[in-house]
Amino acid sequence: MADQINGKKVASVVLDACRAEVAELMAEGRRPGLAVVLVGSDPASEVYVASKERTCLDLGMHSRKLELPASTSQEKLLEVVADLNADEDIDGILVQSPLPPHMDEGEVVRAINPAKDVDGFHPENVAKLALEDPSGFVPCTPLGCQRLLEAYAIDPAGKHVVIVGRSLIVGKSLALLLMAKGPWANATVTVAHSRTQDLVAVTRQADILVAAVGVPEMLGAEHVREGAVVLDVGVNRVDDPEKKRGYRLCGDVDFSAVEPLASAITPVPGGVGPMTIAMLMSNTVKACRARRGQQEER
Ligand code: GUN
């Protein structure tokens, strides 16, 4: 039976450290501020955005939520981003993905000041991750995965990490993060995806298996070698008439099938999910500190 990796508990430790840093910054007259922009009314995005705002306020940070209709033009959204770039009270800007189909997400991300890009999606921050330059911002979910490994003393150094999913938000960034030289990294990384041949043969090589595909319960017992560590990044809503809200949340891993085999595993919910928000807060505090340092140099 696997140890269950408790993301809620680790996230609360990260958030406590953020709360202390916010208090320190406030004493110096700086309050970290995060702006979250939501375009349209995707139900899952609404839940995420509300949770980000709640966490900000709980930590004593400044929070601004901008809700724009789905019909908003690209130009209007770029104007909103430009205003936030210029706003001294805002240290971090997050434009919630996915955007409506008529919008060019890449152009919006490139419009964000890289020093405020707490999502870590701007090309400058992606390059800094690839170059192992610690001044950049690393995407929150990969950072959360690494922090979970650290909290459970699971050192990826020299281990074979197999990541299923090649998105920039998770798979590709996590690969860069865990193959970097440095603590809680130095892994041998394989990235598998929808075109991978004989996925089972690849995933069975994993000492640490990360599922980030967005397909409910896609990875089963056959994909996992006995004793592997399994991180499940998936958050999928599947219809469940027995639930009051009409759906249940599940991961990309068939938890009940894999749990008896794994040495440690993250549940969904309560695993990687809470870490993402905690690392967003941590990135926002980092942005505030860095911007403050620059102001003092001027
Ligand atoms: N949508 C789902 N996850 C994320 C995230 O980490 N950042 C943004 N901006 N949108 C998301």
Side-chain angles (χ1 to χ4, degrees), residues 122-297:
H122 188 284
E124 189 172 313
N125 285 315
V126 177
K128 283 183 173 178
L129 175 58
L131 295 167
E132 303 183 26
D133 175 343
S135 73
F137 292 102
V138 176
C140 304
T141 302
L143 215 46
C145 289
Q146 187 183 43
R147 184 60 74 91
L148 280 180
L149 294 176
E150 182 182 351
Y152 281 80
I154 301 164
D155 191 349
K159 301 272 171 56
H160 193 175
V161 176
V162 177
I163 301 167
V164 187
R166 55 178 157 178
S167 69
L168 178 68
I169 298 189
V170 186
K172 195 183 290 180
S173 300
L174 183 62
L176 289 169
L177 188 63
L178 293 184
M179 77 166 86
K181 297 183 196 79
W184 307 102
N186 281 319
T188 302
V189 179
T190 298
V191 180
H193 48 78
S194 53
R195 300 289 186 94
T196 298
Q197 289 180 11
D198 200 354
L199 182 65
V200 167
V202 176
T203 58
R204 286 186 69 85
Q205 291 175 34
D207 300 306
I208 299 171
L209 178 62
V210 184
V213 262
V215 179
E217 296 174 342
M218 186 182 119
L219 301 185
E222 69 278 19
H223 293 92
V224 181
R225 192 173 51 75
E226 200 170 345
V229 172
V230 178
L231 302 183
D232 189 354
V233 177
V235 184
N236 307 294
R237 289 182 177 199
V238 294
D239 293 340
D240 186 345
E242 282 179 22
K243 298 274 182 204
K244 211 159 61 185
R245 56 189 179 182
Y247 66 88
R248 68 184 171 91
L249 287 182
C250 76
D252 294 346
V253 174
D254 181 346
F255 186 88
S256 57
V258 169
E259 197 249 357
L261 280 169
S263 61
I265 186 167
T266 58
V268 177
V272 176
M275 294 304 293
T276 299
I277 290 193
M279 301 324 287
L280 174 67
M281 300 300 138
S282 168
N283 274 352
T284 305
V285 170
K286 175 178 168 171
C288 180
R289 279 203 185 284
R291 292 183 61 247
R292 197 175 129 272
Q294 275 171 2
Q295 279 161 358
E296 280 171 4
E297 275 170 24

